[in-house]
């Protein structure tokens, strides 16, 4: 993750859980909680999560770092985005909305 307007950066091995998938035409929103155990998370992220906004065909178009359910001042690295995309595919979250 990269903190906006700062040079602070770290890459976490993301462990998403408790997905919530909502269809909001023409988009699909996927909310995930992220497990902080075993990684060097910044202390100011108390309850990290992710929002993945996908097109109606399931292609992700935006990844948002959440803290306590709200937007945070962090953004995901490309590697972290790929981890989230793989999780969505493995759990077949898009297919469950169709």
């Amino acid at each position: 993750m990269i903190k906006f307007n700062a040079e602070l950066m770290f890459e976490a091995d993301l462990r998403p859980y408790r997905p919530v998938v909502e269809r909001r035409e023409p988009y699909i929103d996927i909310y995930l909680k992220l497990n902080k155990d075993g990684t060097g998370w910044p202390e100011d992220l108390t309850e990290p999560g992710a929002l993945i906004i996908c097109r109606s065909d399931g292609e992700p178009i935006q990844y948002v770092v959440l803290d306590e359910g709200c937007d945070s001042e962090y953004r995901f690295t490309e590697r972290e985005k790929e981890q989230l995309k793989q999780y969505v595919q493995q759990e077949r979250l898009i297919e469950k909305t169709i």
Side-chain angles (χ1 to χ4, degrees), residues 46-87:
T46 57
E47 192 179 309
L51 165 60
I52 306 168
I53 302 170
C54 303
R55 295 189 311 224
S56 60
D57 65 359
E59 184 63 31
I61 56 174
Q62 187 174 4
Y63 296 83
V64 180
V65 179
L66 302 176
D67 188 26
E68 298 180 354
C70 300
D71 293 357
S72 75
E73 56 187 337
Y74 288 89
R75 59 189 167 98
F76 289 111
T77 64
E78 291 304 314
R79 181 178 162 270
E80 291 166 333
K81 290 177 187 178
E82 187 58 35
Q83 290 177 57
L84 293 170
K85 186 175 181 178
Q86 287 178 5
Y87 175 81

Side-chain angles (χ1 to χ4, degrees), residues 1-2 8-10 14 41 45 65 74-77 80:
M1 290 180 201
I2 304 166
L8 175 63
M9 178 185 157
F10 73 96
L14 302 178
W41 292 83
L45 275 178
V65 179
Y74 288 89
R75 59 189 167 98
F76 289 111
T77 64
E80 291 166 333

